């Protein structure tokens, strides 16, 4: 029943016999025969053929089972690799797109020094896609903002509870608070009230981003609307900070991005300030997720 289970996984992923056969380097006829024999053996229909080629509920159950087999096989291969070669292997890490450029370069450098024989493969995607890749055995772990209701087959650990800050350039403070500059810097470094920033233009993050929801919850409580410049809406907060350094917008910054603000400050005389926000007590949990019972290379 589980012989050539990769054929079934590829059919489920491609949702097309011709594409799946091409990917598997077998003929369309051979793959069709495989599926026909499998359904006879299981005595159920695993794929609907019309109006589109897709899994039946029975097929979904079969896919869950072969995913477990695939994961066990990967674990066994990892163990045998370590027995043959010592502390070697591969770890496939996913991280959200906005954090990729900020977090990964330094991590990869440090990791390669600590574990030179273990290969680190990194993928960036949005949280929902990362969880899908984990469930499909395409990633070993993922670093991301916490999603609601993680799949029960995944284990989650919080590695950081991020605060959110307002980022404003020195020039913007001088221009928007002329009567209070530079004393306002000292005042704002303790805490800044968003009501004082209604005249500033802001870069907007994606509506689905945790940082956006955190700020919007506070602005609703305060009954205010910030002045967003929608010419640049993305989840790459490091680009927002570059725009802030050019006095185009104020922006928001999660804790993990603060080192990038420091880097920008080292390259410009127009200093960026990170101010904590009055009344914003919510934090953004950053988590690492991985499949339960997953084996990793021995990193000792």
């Amino acid at each position: 029943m589980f012989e050539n289970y990769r054929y079934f996984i590829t059919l489920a992923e491609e949702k097309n016999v011709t594409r799946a056969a091409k990917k598997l380097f077998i003929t369309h006829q051979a793959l069709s025969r495989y599926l026909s024999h499998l359904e006879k053996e299981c005595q159920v229909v695993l794929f609907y053929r019309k109006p589109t080629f897709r899994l039946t509920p029975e097929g979904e159950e079969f896919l869950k089972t072969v995913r477990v087999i695939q994961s066990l096989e990967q674990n066994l291969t990892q163990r045998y690799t370590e027995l043959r070669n010592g502390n070697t292997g591969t770890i496939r890490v996913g991280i959200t797109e906005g954090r990729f450029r900020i977090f990964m370069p330094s991590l990869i450098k440090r990791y390669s020094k600590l574990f030179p024989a273990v290969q680190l493969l990194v993928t960036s995607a949005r949280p929902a896609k990362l969880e899908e890749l984990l469930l499909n055995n395409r990633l070993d772990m993922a670093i991301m903002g916490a999603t609601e209701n993680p799949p029960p087959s995944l284990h989650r650990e919080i590695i950081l509870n991020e605060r959110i800050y307002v980022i404003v350039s020195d020039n913007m403070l001088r221009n928007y608070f002329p009567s209070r500059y530079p004393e306002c810097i000292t005042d704002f470094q303790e805490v800044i009230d968003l009501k004082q920033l209604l005249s500033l233009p802001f870069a907007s993050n994606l509506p689905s981003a945790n940082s956006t929801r955190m700020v919007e919850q506070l602005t609703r409580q305060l009954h205010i609307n910030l002045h967003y410049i929608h010419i640049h809406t993305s989840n790459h907060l490091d680009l927002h900070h570059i725009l802030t350094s050019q006095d185009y917008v104020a922006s928001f910054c999660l804790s993990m991005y603060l080192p990038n603000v420091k880097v920008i400050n080292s390259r410009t005389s127009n200093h960026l300030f990170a101010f904590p926000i009055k009344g914003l007590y919510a934090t953004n949990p950053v988590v690492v997720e991985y499949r339960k019972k997953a084996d990793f290379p021995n990193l000792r």
Side-chain angles (χ1 to χ4, degrees):
M1 180 181 294
F2 299 119
E3 185 178 358
N4 294 325
Y5 72 83
R6 293 182 186 83
Y7 288 7
F8 187 88
I9 291 175
T10 305
L11 278 168
E13 292 176 344
E14 295 296 324
K15 299 180 177 64
N16 181 281
V17 177
T18 300
R19 287 199 302 268
K22 185 176 181 180
K23 190 172 183 178
L24 291 165
F25 301 101
I26 62 176
T27 65
H28 184 288
Q29 292 80 4
L31 189 56
S32 294
R33 285 197 299 271
Y34 158 80
L35 180 57
S36 178
H37 291 160
L38 180 62
E39 290 181 327
K40 287 180 181 178
E41 185 177 3
C42 295
Q43 299 183 25
V44 294
V45 176
L46 299 172
F47 282 91
Y48 294 117
R49 271 60 169 185
K50 295 180 180 180
T52 58
F53 189 84
R54 67 190 193 282
L55 288 166
T56 64
E58 293 80 8
E60 294 281 0
E61 288 299 317
F62 193 88
L63 180 62
K64 290 179 183 177
T65 300
V66 294
R67 287 292 190 197
V68 173
I69 295 172
Q70 183 186 43
S71 178
L72 292 172
E73 182 180 7
Q74 290 174 349
N75 287 345
L76 187 60
T77 300
Q78 181 62 56
R79 293 193 195 110
Y80 286 162
T81 299
E82 289 187 10
L83 288 172
R84 290 195 308 269
N85 305 319
N87 295 343
T88 63
T90 300
I91 294 182
R92 302 164 300 173
V93 178
I95 188 166
T96 44
E97 296 166 335
R99 302 176 191 275
F100 182 88
R101 290 178 296 185
I102 302 299
F103 186 64
M104 292 311 300
S106 59
L107 185 146
I108 292 171
K109 181 179 179 180
R110 293 174 61 189
Y111 184 93
S112 62
K113 288 182 178 180
L114 291 171
F115 312 109
V118 180
Q119 186 179 20
L120 186 66
L121 302 179
V122 184
T123 299
S124 65
R126 299 187 62 184
K129 181 63 177 180
L130 292 176
E131 288 188 334
E132 177 186 331
L133 293 172
L134 285 169
L135 293 172
N136 292 342
N137 299 322
R138 299 293 183 86
L139 289 177
D140 298 308
M141 66 174 66
I143 301 168
M144 58 188 182
T147 59
E148 295 183 0
N149 303 317
S153 59
L154 298 181
H155 180 75
R156 169 181 288 182
E157 294 182 17
I158 296 176
I159 58 176
L160 176 66
N161 281 306
E162 293 185 296
R163 295 188 65 186
I164 191 167
Y165 301 83
V166 170
I167 305 297
V168 188
S169 71
D170 188 58
N171 286 341
M172 292 186 74
L173 289 172
R174 183 183 289 107
N175 293 332
Y176 283 89
F177 301 95
S179 63
R180 298 178 57 188
Y181 182 87
E183 291 78 11
C184 64
I185 296 175
T186 302
D187 296 338
F188 294 161
Q189 282 177 334
E190 183 173 343
V191 68
I192 194 167
D193 191 336
L194 290 183
K195 291 181 179 180
Q196 298 174 289
L197 305 180
L198 298 182
S199 61
L200 271 67
F202 275 86
S204 58
N205 203 351
L206 294 176
S208 59
N210 288 345
S211 59
T212 300
R213 292 197 290 265
M214 291 165 64
V215 173
E216 287 185 348
Q217 183 177 6
L218 178 59
T219 56
R220 284 195 298 269
Q221 293 174 358
L222 298 175
H223 304 289
I224 62 174
N225 292 304
L226 297 179
H227 174 44
Y228 287 109
I229 300 295
H230 293 288
I231 192 170
H232 181 80
T233 303
S234 81
N235 61 346
H236 295 282
L237 295 184
D238 56 320
L239 298 182
H240 294 180
H241 304 153
I242 292 173
L243 291 172
T244 301
S245 71
Q246 297 174 359
D247 306 322
Y248 181 63
V249 288
S251 54
F252 293 101
C253 179
L254 291 162
S255 301
M256 193 177 284
Y257 290 81
L258 287 174
N260 185 62
V261 174
K262 186 176 180 180
V263 170
I264 294 174
N265 282 339
S266 69
R267 298 171 179 171
T268 179
S269 59
N270 185 23
H271 192 86
L272 298 184
F273 294 94
F275 300 129
I277 302 172
K278 181 180 179 180
L280 186 53
Y281 306 112
T283 58
N284 178 54
V286 179
V287 302
V288 58
E289 288 190 3
Y290 52 89
R291 298 189 314 275
K292 294 178 180 177
K293 301 181 180 180
D295 277 3
F296 298 102
N298 188 343
L299 302 181
R300 293 190 299 273

